[in-house]
């Protein structure tokens, strides 16, 4: 089955800095890579996703890049704000059932 | 329709008791998923329905766990003879035919004492 590794487990940045979270996956047939944000005590929410036929996707301050050859993908958040503080999960799937990484706790200091 | 609803939000039960959770997905979503999440971990897949058919179950889903989606709308997840290791957040999610991305519910936090 799919195995997703996510790093770092904790990321602390100053407000306004950029944050990068990296994930690797094992199944070369995986073709869908979503990212979810989970604030403390709340449900995971889909913030951005990318399919394997695209190398990069942006949505305002958030971008995701995918390197299929190396089987890794990354989440980039620019101009971080305190409200970006949350746990971020990457995931990978070849169909409807993604395998999730263990999460990165992002702390943005004002 | 305000999203995926789960009930109850919290459940405390004694070891050995049976518990049942309910999930109401977004009405136009035909796919429904159950996940389990423990502290410091990502969600782990348990089972998946397309309409009323249960199409996939994880090896994590022991024979004490059963899920149903009788009319292709709401779903229930039952855990029989609960064990302390069952303590976790149980998340339900749904998606439609066109999108792979999930909408998660707020979850049911189970504590087995």
């Amino acid at each position: 089955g799919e195995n997703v590794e996510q790093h770092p487990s904790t990321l602390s940045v100053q407000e306004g800095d950029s944050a990068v979270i990296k994930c690797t996956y094992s199944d070369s047939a995986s073709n869908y890579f979503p990212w979810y944000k989970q604030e403390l005590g709340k449900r995971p929410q889909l913030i951005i996703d990318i399919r394997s036929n695209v190398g990069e996707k942006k949505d305002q301050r958030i971008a995701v890049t995918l390197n299929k050859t190396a089987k890794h993908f990354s989440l980039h958040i620019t101009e971080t704000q305190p409200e970006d503080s949350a746990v971020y999960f990457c995931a990978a799937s070849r169909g409807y059932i993604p395998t999730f990484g263990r999460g990165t706790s992002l702390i943005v200091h004002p | 329709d305000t999203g995926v609803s789960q009930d109850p939000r919290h459940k405390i039960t004694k070891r050995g008791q049976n518990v049942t959770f309910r999930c109401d997905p977004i009405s136009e979503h035909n796919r429904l998923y159950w996940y389990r999440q423990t502290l410091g971990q990502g969600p782990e897949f348990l089972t998946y329905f397309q309409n009323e058919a249960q199409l996939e179950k994880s090896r994590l889903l022991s024979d004490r766990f059963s899920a149903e989606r009788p009319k292709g709308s709401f779903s229930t997840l039952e855990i029989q003879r609960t064990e302390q290791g069952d303590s976790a957040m149980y998340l339900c999610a749904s998606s439609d035919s066109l999108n792979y991305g999930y909408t998660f519910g707020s979850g049911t936090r189970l504590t087995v004492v």
Side-chain angles (χ1 to χ4, degrees):
Chain A
E2 176 66 275
N3 182 48
V4 176
E5 299 286 339
Q6 183 171 351
H7 299 279
S9 57
T10 305
L11 180 58
S12 183
V13 300
Q14 289 296 127
E15 182 177 0
D17 288 350
S18 294
V20 180
I21 303 170
K22 298 181 179 181
C23 290
T24 60
Y25 62 98
S26 60
D27 186 351
S28 57
S30 287
N31 57 9
Y32 176 66
F33 306 91
W35 286 86
Y36 289 83
K37 175 184 180 182
Q38 187 173 28
E39 297 177 55
L40 190 62
K42 297 192 176 180
R43 69 190 76 189
Q45 290 191 300
L46 179 68
I47 56 171
I48 194 167
D49 56 11
I50 192 169
R51 295 183 186 271
S52 60
N53 58 347
V54 175
E56 183 175 1
K57 183 176 179 181
K58 288 184 179 180
D59 183 3
Q60 299 183 336
R61 296 186 297 109
I62 293 173
V64 58
T65 58
L66 171 65
N67 183 327
K68 286 193 297 182
T69 304
K71 291 190 284 188
H72 67 70
F73 57 114
S74 301
L75 178 72
H76 303 254
I77 306 174
T78 58
E79 301 172 20
T80 52
Q81 301 167 4
E83 52 264 40
D84 294 329
S85 296
V87 178
Y88 291 80
F89 294 98
C90 64
S93 74
R94 62 163 80 184
Y96 296 107
I97 302 169
T99 299
F100 286 81
R102 296 182 65 170
T104 295
S105 177
L106 174 64
I107 303 165
V108 180
H109 299 281
Chain B
D1 192 333
T2 56
V4 179
S5 299
Q6 291 189 244
D7 183 70
R9 292 292 303 275
H10 304 275
K11 178 70 177 179
I12 300 174
T13 191
K14 291 183 179 179
R15 191 171 45 190
Q17 297 294 305
N18 298 343
V19 294
T20 300
F21 310 141
R22 177 180 170 122
C23 172
D24 287 88
I26 293 174
S27 57
E28 57 266 30
H29 285 184
N30 62 338
R31 294 191 173 90
L32 185 148
Y33 314 81
W34 286 98
Y35 278 78
R36 181 171 65 189
Q37 186 177 25
T38 53
L39 194 63
Q41 303 290 324
E44 294 178 299
F45 170 71
L46 294 178
T47 191
Y48 153 54
F49 291 85
Q50 182 168 314
N51 299 312
E52 66 275 11
Q54 188 174 20
L55 297 186
E56 194 163 336
K57 292 194 294 186
S58 165
R59 291 189 302 273
L60 293 174
L61 210 65
S62 77
D63 57 5
R64 297 184 297 104
F65 288 69
S66 62
E68 294 182 340
R69 193 183 183 196
K71 297 183 179 179
S73 56
F74 73 92
S75 175
T76 58
L77 177 69
E78 181 183 17
I79 309 174
Q80 296 182 324
R81 305 181 303 281
T82 52
E83 302 172 356
Q84 285 189 321
D86 297 331
S87 296
M89 175 73 83
Y90 289 83
L91 292 166
C92 176
S94 67
S95 67
D96 61 28
S97 302
L98 300 176
N99 297 295
Y100 284 27
Y102 291 176
T103 300
F104 278 96
S106 295
T108 294
R109 180 167 297 283
L110 174 66
T111 303
V112 182
V113 298

